[in-house]
Amino acid sequence: MQNARTMQSPVNRNGGVREQEAARPLVEVLADTSDKLSGVRAILEAKFTVAGERLDADARLAQVPSAVVIRAELRDVDNIAAIKKRAGKLAKAKKRIFLLEHTSHVGISQAYALGATLVLPGTIDRIKLLAALSDPADDASASSGGEAQPDNAVETAATAIASMFTAVTLGQPLDVDGTKEAGRQIADRITQHGLSEWLRTVRRHHEGTYQHCLLVTGVAIDFGLSLGVGRADLERLYTAAMFHDIGKAHIPLAILDKPGRLDAEERAMIETHPAAGHEFLKSHDKISPEILDAVRHHHEYLDGSGYPDGLCGESIGDIVRLLTISDIFAALIEHRHYKPTMPRAEAYNILCGMNGKLEKALVASFKQVALTR
């Protein structure tokens, strides 16, 4: 097998892409072994111009790629250091996809902390990887006529969520102030640029539980803004939204990311996450009772059919009511590679059909958030 340092590359001596291949999107592949590097290149070269290098080699690509694919063991501190060394160039790529063969919440959190926009865990899935690189969601903002905004708030929030999941998994201290600050940045971003721009950006950059937390936070913030809630209540709302699924850190990724319907045992495990999140957070003195209540009860319904406590009616607080609507709507409009994104109007119709479960007046007020903002 050719050594990765001498393997033929579409990059010329000056770091530029050969003219005959310049029409295709440029994807850079980084890997910690020659076998991993050649394996990813073999998948991508039919559709993309591919440049590749090992993490232990000197960075040499001068042109900014449209995407970076990283296949490396993140339990190796040298690999992490090599990725951080390339952080400036990585940040310029629209897509930063990490392929993790040894999957865990900690590994995925580490990848997002290193700047991942998408993590694909487990054995490499050729179809899923190509779909992620060719994803039309990247063109959504351009086709909508909206101008793309800097992604600082998205990256700050994603890093906060990654830190949060790592803290739960490893029993480390939780950065409550950092999470609140990330929520404040999302609120500022949505106040300036609107909810639709936030939804497009998040769906373009993140997948799975991370995407969901970012979407819920954005929707909840815009819902609060549309209702004219005060600053203190808005902070409680976005902090609750950021923390609401923290209990999922204890649920296996195979269940969280399962494409098909969950069986009864898997569903029961999923339904443990509100109580688990509440249990983890309740010892932190910077988290108010209202936020703890929202984390524990965001799956409760007015008719008593929710979980974990079967609350009903007046037992369900105002922040919980807002968060539940935001959570359901965000789950319906998530972008997943295995299913089309549900139109916002269709998602809102589903909310309207949940008679007796959600507060009717709030669902009516949510219409402008769902459809026009």
Side-chain angles (χ1 to χ4, degrees):
M1 178 179 292
Q2 288 180 298
N3 186 283
R5 300 172 191 267
T6 59
M7 194 178 297
Q8 187 176 8
S9 168
V11 180
N12 63 29
R13 293 179 182 177
N14 296 321
V17 179
R18 293 174 181 168
E19 291 182 5
Q20 65 267 32
E21 299 195 15
R24 297 195 298 178
L26 173 62
V27 177
E28 182 173 14
V29 179
L30 301 174
D32 53 0
T33 69
S34 298
D35 287 348
K36 290 180 182 179
L37 181 61
S38 60
V40 177
R41 290 186 62 146
I43 293 173
L44 302 183
E45 285 177 334
K47 294 188 66 175
F48 301 95
T49 297
V50 182
E53 61 189 46
R54 277 179 35 169
L55 286 169
D56 58 1
D58 293 332
R60 66 176 185 271
L61 188 66
Q63 183 174 338
V64 176
S66 63
V68 177
V69 177
I70 299 175
R71 185 185 180 193
E73 174 55 73
L74 296 186
R75 295 177 295 185
D76 187 318
V77 294
D78 290 335
N79 289 340
I80 293 175
I83 294 170
K84 288 181 176 179
K85 187 177 179 181
R86 294 166 168 84
K89 185 174 66 176
L90 291 178
K92 296 177 182 179
K94 291 182 179 180
K95 297 179 181 180
R96 301 180 292 277
I97 300 174
F98 280 61
L99 306 177
L100 301 184
E101 293 163 44
H102 299 286
T103 59
S104 66
H105 284 292
V106 174
I108 290 178
S109 296
Q110 179 69 70
Y112 280 116
L114 290 169
T117 59
L118 175 65
V119 178
L120 297 178
T123 304
I124 294 181
D125 185 320
R126 178 180 180 276
I127 295 175
K128 186 178 291 187
L129 176 57
L130 291 174
L133 288 167
S134 305
D135 199 330
D138 273 347
D139 301 323
S141 59
S143 63
S144 69
E147 183 180 350
Q149 304 299 329
D151 295 331
N152 295 358
V154 178
E155 300 310 322
T156 299
T159 300
I161 294 170
S163 173
M164 180 196 313
F165 272 72
T166 300
V168 176
T169 305
L170 299 181
Q172 297 175 343
L174 185 66
D175 184 5
V176 177
D177 291 336
T179 302
K180 288 183 178 180
E181 170 60 19
R184 186 194 63 76
Q185 289 191 29
I186 298 173
D188 289 345
R189 171 78 167 260
I190 290 174
T191 299
Q192 294 175 31
H193 303 295
L195 177 63
S196 293
E197 186 274 335
W198 176 256
L199 298 180
R200 285 193 300 268
T201 303
V202 170
R203 286 189 294 216
R204 188 166 69 244
H205 283 279
H206 291 283
E207 176 76 5
T209 301
Y210 285 71
Q211 179 194 151
H212 178 69
C213 290
L214 294 171
L215 291 178
V216 172
T217 303
V219 172
I221 286 169
D222 199 59
F223 197 7
L225 291 172
S226 75
L227 294 172
V229 303
R231 178 176 296 182
D233 283 335
L234 187 65
E235 180 180 301
R236 280 190 281 268
L237 183 57
Y238 65 61
T239 304
M242 288 287 287
F243 282 128
H244 82 287
D245 270 350
I246 192 171
K248 287 183 177 178
H250 292 301
I251 297 175
L253 292 169
I255 295 177
L256 288 178
D257 298 332
K258 184 177 180 180
R261 184 180 296 275
L262 299 176
D263 62 30
E265 185 176 345
E266 292 167 338
R267 169 54 59 187
M269 182 166 288
I270 285 285
E271 291 184 359
T272 65
H273 81 268
H278 176 268
E279 182 66 23
F280 177 78
L281 292 172
K282 70 180 184 180
S283 62
H284 293 77
D285 55 10
K286 292 183 178 180
I287 299 178
S288 69
E290 295 94 340
I291 294 169
L292 289 173
D293 179 57
V295 169
R296 184 176 180 91
H297 295 131
H298 65 276
H299 283 289
E300 302 284 5
Y301 292 138
L302 296 178
D303 63 1
S305 64
Y307 63 89
D309 298 319
L311 299 184
C312 60
E314 297 305 313
S315 300
I316 300 175
D318 292 339
I319 291 179
V320 176
R321 295 178 188 222
L322 296 178
L323 183 59
T324 299
I325 292 172
S326 302
D327 183 35
I328 296 169
F329 184 75
L332 292 171
I333 64 169
E334 282 178 21
H335 175 73
R336 296 294 184 100
H337 293 294
Y338 53 78
K339 70 179 181 68
T341 303
M342 181 180 292
R344 289 166 68 173
E346 184 177 339
Y348 180 67
N349 287 337
I350 290 176
L351 288 177
C352 293
M354 297 179 67
N355 296 323
K357 295 182 180 297
L358 307 174
E359 184 175 336
K360 191 172 182 179
L362 283 179
V363 173
S365 297
F366 187 71
K367 183 174 183 178
Q368 60 174 319
V369 176
L371 303 183
T372 65
R373 292 170 70 93

